[in-house]
Amino acid sequence: MSSGRKDFASGPVRTSRKRVGFWAASWVSVLLLLTGATSLLNGNQTPAGSPQPDATASAAPLSSVSLTFDSGRASQMEAARILKDHGLRGTFFIDSGFVGAPDYMTVENLHTLATNQNEIGGHTVTLADVTAVEPDEASRQICKDRANLTDWGFKVTSFAYPFAASTAKSEELVAGCGYNSARGLGEIHSPFDCAACAQAETVRPTNLFRTRATSEVGSGWTLASLEATVVQAEQAGGWLQLTFYDIDTSGSPRSVSPALFEQFATWLAARTQQGTMAVRTVHDVIGGVAKPAVNGPVAAPAAPGKNALRNPGLEIAGKYGLPQCWQVSSYGKNAVVLTTLNPGRSGEVARRLDVTEYSSGDAKLLPVLDLGACAPSVMAGHKYSLRAWYQSSAKTQFELYYRNKLGTWTFWTASPWFAANTRYEQAIWETPPVPPGAEAISFGMNLFSDGQLATDDYEMYDTVGAPSP
């Protein structure tokens, strides 16, 4: 008796199980560029009739521009088409756990990018802030993403930090996962911010695992501001990284219209003919070989008879008013608020979901959909006993998701309904056998109507050795 198909506000979730080396540049290329051999890098001489560099341009220091794209958004395929039309290439940083999800690229899209000599880089499996999770989880997110992309046939040497968040420790983890460089954001001057910052990164960055870039290009940028940012980098000499998200007409703060991107690409292509700069992938600038893939730490299933959940009583506070290791997730049309109740059923606190303006979908509190720090690992074919204490003004049910070996989360199944009640009762349900290929599950009690649902004291056991309720 499921309430239907489920998606997450917190990140893409697949509703189907279907899943679906191209560069050799090195510091030699950089030296060629710095000595003015731009025509050699482009593979040809300046065509007859092409615009000739003016005296000012000829006197300017040489520089490189890298066009980078974050998260593997499907709309970026339009940017890839435009780049190809103008003989340009970019670097696409991919969250492999989202590949194939709605609004994201497919594996086939990634191969099209690589065929056209674009670079495929890493961005973690599920767009994780690697500074906000424990080191083992950060390592899994970084290493597993690179391993997934490598398994799909790509040479992966470049990384970009989600949310531009890094520390000395996370930079060490990126290097340990086999990357050659990692990009931040917001540390190069643009017309919009960072007035005191440098106008370009150095050709050989001081810190390869925190290379500097402008803030993300969005709807506030114009052709003039894009051109001005490139020109200032040319004048300073060095390397400029520009970062894009959606290439569409939505007008959202993180989008750039295809028309503007086309104008910018046209201008860049003409600019390269002046001999003062070249458009190059991140790997072309940094160089180095593609190292073997590295596996992150394994998150083992809980031992028989042990509660597999972290922070099961919701007592430990996390960020943003949420319990540590738990998230609120919803889909459809409804408004949801999470409230802290004092006291809880058995401890200091419980948590209550308040759903209003309900039209469709549902809302739930469940363990964070990660790679093992919070979402409990499971064994395929095993059954699990799920338990939680609840009181509710409306019927509710357990709703389950599983993670496959790629790190992609998928809706699995739901329990029968549990009736509304005005005092705490324990909901208990045994899952079907875990599907083949599933490595972890996450579950929560949901509301699929207006109402209130308070929960506390969650438990999850392998049915082998599970204690009596």
Side-chain angles (χ1 to χ4, degrees):
M1 299 175 65
S2 168
S3 59
R5 177 175 173 266
K6 309 298 184 287
D7 294 306
F8 287 96
S10 56
V13 175
R14 291 184 59 109
T15 54
S16 167
R17 297 183 197 170
K18 181 180 179 181
R19 300 295 302 185
V20 205
F22 54 84
W23 53 80
S26 66
W27 287 114
V28 174
S29 298
V30 176
L31 294 173
L32 285 171
L33 183 63
L34 289 173
T35 55
T38 309
S39 60
L40 295 178
L41 290 176
N42 291 337
N44 52 40
Q45 302 297 319
T46 303
S50 297
Q52 298 300 310
D54 57 32
T56 302
S58 298
L62 300 178
S63 62
S64 295
V65 175
S66 293
L67 305 176
T68 71
F69 303 82
D70 284 1
S71 293
R73 300 284 292 171
S75 68
Q76 294 168 7
M77 292 305 295
E78 178 64 8
R81 179 195 65 77
I82 293 170
L83 291 177
K84 181 181 179 182
D85 288 348
H86 292 278
L88 305 175
R89 299 177 296 152
T91 296
F92 293 78
F93 293 108
I94 305 300
D95 299 294
S96 58
F98 296 168
V99 171
D103 300 323
Y104 286 79
M105 293 182 191
T106 64
V107 174
E108 290 77 11
N109 290 151
L110 300 184
H111 280 288
T112 298
L113 292 177
T115 297
N116 293 327
Q117 297 190 325
N118 296 289
E119 178 186 5
I120 304 299
H123 200 42
T124 74
V125 176
T126 62
L127 192 65
D129 181 344
V130 294
T131 68
V133 297
E134 60 191 40
D136 278 359
E137 176 67 14
S139 182
R140 283 190 288 268
Q141 288 280 352
I142 299 165
C143 287
K144 183 63 177 176
D145 189 43
R146 183 167 183 265
N148 288 343
L149 296 170
T150 300
D151 287 346
W152 288 333
F154 306 112
K155 295 181 179 179
V156 187
T157 63
S158 306
F159 181 79
Y161 296 103
F163 317 107
S166 75
T167 62
K169 178 60 179 178
S170 59
E171 291 168 13
E172 177 185 331
L173 292 175
V174 172
C177 288
Y179 284 101
N180 295 349
S181 70
R183 192 213 70 211
L185 285 175
E187 296 166 312
I188 292 296
H189 172 68
S190 81
F192 302 94
D193 57 12
C194 214
C197 292
Q199 294 182 326
E201 174 63 282
T202 54
V203 174
R204 299 189 179 188
T206 302
N207 183 358
L208 286 174
F209 293 96
R210 181 73 194 194
T211 63
R212 296 174 295 172
T214 68
S215 56
E216 186 177 74
V217 178
S219 59
W221 288 63
T222 64
L223 179 60
S225 56
L226 286 165
E227 291 177 357
T229 306
V230 172
V231 169
Q232 74 174 16
E234 287 182 333
Q235 294 171 346
W239 178 33
L240 174 67
Q241 295 181 89
L242 295 172
T243 302
F244 300 84
Y245 188 67
D246 273 325
I247 307 296
D248 60 24
T249 57
S250 66
S252 68
R254 302 184 70 186
S255 73
V256 169
S257 72
L260 174 57
F261 193 81
E262 175 88 52
Q263 292 172 334
F264 183 49
T266 301
W267 181 84
L268 276 177
R271 196 78 175 175
T272 62
Q273 297 300 319
Q274 297 184 12
T276 61
M277 55 83 71
V279 176
R280 311 170 72 210
T281 67
V282 173
H283 176 82
D284 286 343
V285 174
I286 298 298
V289 300
K291 303 179 182 71
V294 177
N295 293 319
V298 174
K306 181 180 178 181
N307 188 356
L309 300 175
R310 294 185 63 173
N311 195 20
L314 313 178
E315 300 284 329
I316 304 172
K319 292 187 175 182
Y320 316 116
L322 294 166
Q324 185 184 88
C325 261
W326 293 76
Q327 69 179 68
V328 173
S329 185
S330 65
Y331 83 102
K333 295 182 178 180
N334 57 77
V336 57
V337 174
L338 182 68
T339 302
T340 300
L341 302 180
N342 301 97
R345 187 196 76 89
S346 62
E348 294 184 1
V349 302
R351 305 289 176 148
R352 188 183 73 203
L353 289 173
D354 294 75
V355 174
T356 57
E357 304 175 26
Y358 182 86
S359 176
S360 63
D362 77 358
K364 56 267 178 185
L365 177 70
L366 75 173
V368 171
L369 303 179
D370 61 13
L371 299 187
C374 298
S377 298
V378 295
M379 297 184 68
H382 285 220
K383 299 179 181 180
Y384 289 82
S385 177
L386 309 183
R387 310 171 188 186
W389 290 84
Y390 81 101
Q391 59 181 7
S392 178
S393 64
K395 60 183 177 288
T396 180
Q397 65 184 161
F398 287 117
E399 188 165 273
L400 282 72
Y401 302 81
Y402 73 83
R403 188 190 73 228
N404 65 15
K405 66 177 183 178
L406 292 174
T408 302
W409 283 94
T410 304
F411 171 68
W412 176 19
T413 188
S415 72
W417 292 340
F418 296 93
N421 55 285
T422 57
R423 64 177 186 175
Y424 280 108
E425 298 284 350
Q426 190 178 35
I428 303 174
W429 184 61
E430 184 177 297
T431 73
V434 172
E439 295 188 346
I441 65 174
S442 183
F443 71 94
M445 301 194 77
N446 69 350
L447 278 177
F448 42 96
S449 65
D450 285 340
Q452 296 180 331
L453 169 65
T455 56
D456 202 355
D457 299 326
Y458 288 79
E459 297 171 273
M460 172 182 154
Y461 301 98
D462 192 314
T463 54
V464 177
S468 299

